[in-house]
Amino acid sequence: MATRDYVKRGKAPRKKNTRRQPPKARARFPLKWALLAVCLVGAFGYGLYLLSNTDTPTPKPATNAQPEPSTQSDKAHLPKKPEEKWSYIEELESKEVEVKAKALPQSTRPYLMQCGAYRSQDQANERKAIIAFQGLESQIKISQGEKGTWYRVVLGPYPRKRQAERDRNMLRRAGVEPCAIWYWE
């Protein structure tokens, strides 16, 4: 008996539905929602009507306030300005505050900033040129390590770390990253 290959046979083509479906019923007008909307709009309009017909309240004059003499009778009578209960305002005006700023510890060692270490001198020169376009001067230091020769792009020396951080932030905004700050060796 010969074996049959059912995989290559594939699926039978889908037959068209010859039955005719009845037409869908048209959506009816949502009467319930229309009535609700009309009621809400009517209630809102009625509320506005009531608000427009009410009289504005008039403030009642204080009974214990003494009227100030005025030459014009059409001016409103205002009560006297109350006395201040607190005396701290006058006390604080005459005070002086002394602030003693702590002296920052000055490092005796200068700082350097390294913005890359490369295997080839061409890559180091490219990084040095990018830094030069930002207005900073950098140097290429050659160092021999266990893994061969490295060309390090360094900036400095900086007497304070804050100056090195300022330049690092300027380079970061220009897209030159990563830059590390160390003590000068």
Side-chain angles (χ1 to χ4, degrees):
M1 180 175 196
T3 59
R4 291 187 176 179
D5 190 4
Y6 290 102
V7 175
K8 289 185 179 178
R9 219 172 101 181
K11 292 183 178 180
R14 193 171 185 169
K15 292 183 181 180
K16 263 190 166 178
N17 190 359
T18 56
R19 281 191 305 164
R20 187 170 178 166
Q21 294 181 354
K24 293 183 180 179
R26 290 178 61 192
R28 292 180 36 192
F29 182 73
L31 186 62
K32 163 174 72 171
W33 293 108
L35 287 175
L36 179 65
V38 167
C39 289
L40 287 175
V41 169
F44 182 71
Y46 183 69
L48 289 177
Y49 173 74
L50 287 179
L51 285 176
S52 68
N53 285 341
T54 58
D55 294 333
T56 57
T58 57
K60 294 180 181 178
T63 58
N64 60 356
Q66 298 175 0
E68 293 180 10
S70 66
T71 58
Q72 297 177 352
S73 61
D74 59 334
K75 273 191 167 179
H77 297 286
L78 298 176
K80 286 186 177 179
K81 183 178 177 184
E83 297 280 331
E84 293 261 349
K85 297 179 187 176
W86 314 105
S87 62
Y88 66 89
I89 296 175
E90 292 84 22
E91 291 174 8
L92 290 178
E93 285 178 354
S94 62
K95 295 283 183 178
E96 289 187 22
V97 178
E98 292 182 23
V99 178
K100 295 179 182 177
K102 294 181 181 178
L104 295 175
Q106 295 293 328
S107 174
T108 57
R109 299 170 59 187
Y111 292 93
L112 75 91
M113 181 170 47
Q114 178 177 326
C115 288
Y118 302 99
R119 290 285 194 174
S120 70
Q121 192 167 6
D122 292 338
Q123 289 176 324
N125 284 331
E126 285 178 23
R127 178 57 62 108
K128 183 179 176 181
I130 292 171
I131 293 171
F133 280 125
Q134 300 308 314
L136 299 173
E137 186 177 340
S138 61
Q139 307 162 21
I140 297 177
K141 298 242 180 207
I142 302 171
S143 62
Q144 295 291 333
E146 296 175 1
K147 298 181 181 177
T149 304
W150 288 91
Y151 300 93
R152 300 184 309 147
V153 180
V154 295
L155 288 87
Y158 294 101
R160 293 191 182 108
K161 189 174 183 181
R162 175 173 237 132
Q163 293 170 342
E165 288 174 347
R166 183 193 63 215
D167 286 349
R168 178 173 60 177
N169 288 333
M170 183 175 65
L171 290 172
R172 183 178 295 154
R173 285 190 297 268
V176 179
E177 287 190 284
C179 293
I181 299 171
W182 292 308
Y183 284 116
W184 189 273
E185 297 174 1

